[in-house]
Amino acid sequence: MVALKEFRLKRSISEPRGKALLHICWIRVLCSSFLLLLIVGCSSYGVIHNEPGVDVNAGQPYSLTTWAQSEEAADFVFIVAFSGGGTRAAAMAYGVLEELRDTNIVIEGRESRLLDEVTHISSVSGGSFTSAYYGLYGDRIFNDFEDEFLRRDVEGHLTKSALNPVHWFTRKGRTERSAEYYNKILFHDATFKDMMQPGRPMIIINASDLAYGIRFSFIQDYFNLLCSDIRDFPVASAVTASSAVPVVFNPVVIENYSGCPKFKPSAQTLEMAKHSDVLYETLEGLESYSDKESRKFIHFVDGGITDNMGLRAMTDVVNVTGGPGQLIHKTQRKIPRHVVVLSVNASTEKRSEMDASAKQPSMLASMNAMTDVQLHRYNAATVDEVRDSLEEWTANISTPEHEVKSYFIEVSFKQVAQPQLKLFLNKIPTSFNLTDEQVEALIKSARDLLREDPEYQQLLAELARP
């Protein structure tokens, strides 16, 4: 990318906000996973599941343009973001889907469930299990997802598999065995072409590029950088990458093929990057996929490392494209009337116990405390940035004749009013094995929080108007 390199020398680039968090997360995971590494220490190799793309844009690619041109996405952009947090996040996401299903509206003279107006679901880590299942099976999720995943001891199975001596000396890593398990209980050999169902939202599963620390979305728009077609890529592998905590799990490896055009941002995007360190770093990361020799294989891990909220997929796409106007033009979409972003945040409010004693905290406790501080600050910064950007974007594309209204709705534990319930929810661990009581509380709380949110109520009132 010549243009990017030209002005790279003219400015001093500060360390991006997520990089410090990335370093601390590595240290924390390393300390907590040392024992597991001793047990399962033999080398393993990633199993490559992606194929080179011959004509990735033939037919219907799994891309933003395909969904933007659908009739369902005509006047309504409704983006839902599911955060990470193990089964806790998956259960909250499920509760929100239930509430959207049970909310009936009349829009443009037709009756509809609000769930049917969702155009995109962006997810990371634990939230990706819910989003992928809904993308594949639609309303079937309300019949069997609780038993198939939310109330299942997934963590126990993965632990037994890791401790099985038969697996210690195989070339197949823990991550590949996890993907096989998720495929068996949830996804049943489904690929991304199976998620291209009429009337369902586009599912954007996000992971982190381990080498460059940038967010990567499992959609064709990103697979174009790898000269690969995502339609035949296993959904189970994408969800595994999105939830693969580094060191505890091996990265999901994808081959970076040759033979496609190099990434080339527009002049407008380059101009924006001069004033944004975050966008500049994103462009550098995307440019790196053009180096087919040095980056022959890309290693993907937990999406929560680079964005635990699942929100930055939206801001990255808009900014890399050159702004909302350019994105609308590129996707050949007409300007919507309503833009809704619903953030489902399953992160807990940490309560440190070290201040109750003069005893020096352990190294692990110190690492946990530092990571928690960074994570919560980064999450808060992400929410503020997206909220501000949403208002700016809709203002830019609005006209006196065509007003675009925006809504930012947040579902999180900080909104819980009852002290006892709030304490109970915040004590639910980040794991893949919760009790029935915990699952039920998470589902009900998510529904109640969404229903009572003022911005959500304002949206419903606006949609009810003629």
Side-chain angles (χ1 to χ4, degrees):
M1 190 197 305
V2 178
L4 183 60
K5 290 180 180 178
E6 285 179 350
F7 79 84
R8 179 181 297 148
L9 300 176
K10 300 179 182 179
R11 60 188 302 228
S12 175
I13 302 300
S14 63
E15 185 177 12
R17 283 173 285 181
K19 191 170 290 184
L21 172 63
L22 185 67
H23 292 163
I24 293 174
C25 284
W26 288 172
I27 298 173
R28 178 180 180 181
V29 171
L30 181 62
C31 294
S32 62
S33 309
F34 182 68
L35 179 60
L36 184 58
L37 281 177
L38 291 178
I39 296 175
V40 192
C42 95
S43 298
S44 60
Y45 295 82
V47 179
I48 308 301
H49 291 292
N50 69 309
E51 299 293 337
V54 179
D55 188 359
V56 297
N57 293 315
Q60 282 193 318
Y62 192 82
S63 69
L64 294 169
T65 302
T66 300
W67 259 263
Q69 295 174 350
S70 66
E71 292 184 3
E72 293 82 0
D75 282 329
F76 210 117
V77 174
F78 194 160
I79 302 169
V80 180
F82 294 153
S83 78
T87 301
R88 186 181 67 240
M92 284 193 70
Y94 176 79
V96 165
L97 292 181
E98 276 196 337
E99 187 62 26
L100 293 173
R101 175 201 62 186
D102 295 340
T103 303
N104 297 315
I105 60 172
V106 176
I107 182 170
E108 297 179 0
R110 58 181 173 85
E111 294 185 0
S112 173
R113 307 178 305 174
L114 192 52
L115 177 60
D116 297 328
E117 302 303 320
V118 175
T119 55
H120 305 78
I121 299 179
S122 172
S123 62
V124 296
S125 199
S128 292
F129 289 89
T130 308
S131 68
Y133 200 88
Y134 178 68
L136 284 171
Y137 307 119
D139 280 8
R140 171 179 154 186
I141 192 174
F142 304 117
N143 298 326
D144 52 23
F145 187 66
E146 288 190 55
D147 292 331
E148 295 296 330
F149 185 75
L150 297 181
R151 301 178 189 272
R152 185 190 291 264
D153 184 5
V154 174
E155 190 168 296
H157 174 87
L158 298 179
T159 301
K160 290 178 181 178
S161 177
L163 297 176
N164 188 341
V166 175
H167 297 152
W168 293 1
F169 307 102
T170 64
R171 292 169 62 89
K172 187 181 295 184
R174 296 179 299 281
T175 294
E176 187 63 28
R177 293 195 298 272
S178 298
E180 291 177 351
Y181 181 64
Y182 301 150
N183 184 60
K184 177 182 177 181
I185 66 172
L186 294 175
F187 303 121
H188 313 296
D189 297 326
T191 62
F192 276 85
K193 64 184 176 185
D194 297 313
M195 281 213 278
M196 302 180 68
Q197 301 290 336
R200 291 184 197 161
M202 182 180 194
I203 307 301
I204 305 174
I205 298 171
N206 300 286
S208 300
D209 183 332
L210 181 61
Y212 273 69
I214 63 170
R215 189 197 54 75
F216 185 95
S217 297
F218 283 85
I219 57 178
Q220 188 58 53
D221 307 77
Y222 277 75
F223 263 55
N224 285 338
L225 303 172
L226 310 179
C227 308
S228 183
D229 192 334
I230 196 175
R231 283 173 289 195
D232 293 324
F233 191 78
V235 174
S237 295
V239 174
T240 303
S242 183
S243 58
V245 177
V247 181
V248 178
F249 293 96
N250 314 100
V252 169
V253 183
I254 295 181
E255 187 163 354
N256 187 11
Y257 296 102
S258 302
C260 59
K262 292 184 178 181
F263 171 67
K264 185 178 180 180
S266 65
Q268 185 172 356
T269 302
L270 290 173
E271 184 63 29
M272 291 170 57
K274 294 180 181 180
H275 310 285
S276 170
D277 291 346
V278 175
L279 178 56
Y280 180 87
E281 293 287 344
T282 300
L283 294 179
E284 273 200 322
L286 297 178
E287 180 192 30
S288 71
Y289 296 117
S290 299
D291 186 355
K292 304 299 181 178
E293 294 184 4
S294 299
R295 307 211 69 196
K296 177 64 176 174
F297 298 97
I298 313 299
H299 297 73
F300 292 111
V301 294
D302 192 343
I305 297 299
T306 49
D307 172 25
N308 196 50
M309 301 293 291
L311 287 169
R312 291 189 177 271
M314 175 183 65
T315 57
D316 283 356
V317 168
V318 174
N319 291 333
V320 169
T321 308
Q326 290 295 317
L327 180 61
I328 290 173
H329 175 73
K330 180 180 179 181
T331 56
Q332 303 175 33
R333 179 197 172 97
K334 69 177 183 179
I335 299 176
R337 294 190 179 275
H338 303 279
V339 180
V340 183
V341 176
L342 168 55
S343 172
V344 185
N345 180 8
S347 59
T348 57
E349 298 177 4
K350 296 300 181 181
R351 299 175 183 271
S352 176
E353 299 179 356
M354 69 175 63
D355 293 340
S357 170
K359 181 181 178 180
Q360 293 291 347
S362 65
M363 181 177 69
L364 182 58
S366 298
M367 292 298 175
N368 286 340
M370 287 190 294
T371 306
D372 290 338
V373 169
Q374 293 289 338
L375 180 63
H376 283 82
R377 288 184 178 274
Y378 190 58
N379 286 348
T382 297
V383 170
D384 289 343
E385 179 181 336
V386 172
R387 193 190 302 271
D388 293 342
S389 296
L390 182 61
E391 293 180 358
E392 180 183 348
W393 295 338
T394 52
N396 287 342
I397 61 177
S398 289
T399 64
E401 299 78 21
H402 189 103
E403 181 185 5
V404 182
K405 296 185 177 181
S406 64
Y407 307 84
F408 185 87
I409 304 164
E410 186 178 8
V411 174
S412 67
F413 293 155
K414 67 182 181 182
Q415 299 167 312
V416 177
Q418 305 93 324
Q420 291 298 324
L421 176 59
K422 191 171 188 177
L423 181 62
F424 177 81
L425 294 173
N426 276 287
K427 286 186 176 181
I428 297 177
T430 303
S431 73
F432 285 112
N433 179 27
L434 301 183
T435 66
D436 289 346
E437 181 186 13
Q438 291 170 329
V439 171
E440 290 167 4
L442 288 164
I443 295 173
K444 184 179 184 305
S445 296
R447 297 194 61 161
D448 292 342
L449 290 171
L450 175 58
R451 191 184 314 118
E452 297 165 2
D453 182 82
E455 195 84 357
Y456 183 69
Q457 293 176 353
Q458 182 180 346
L459 169 65
L460 296 182
E462 183 66 30
L463 294 177
R465 296 178 183 176

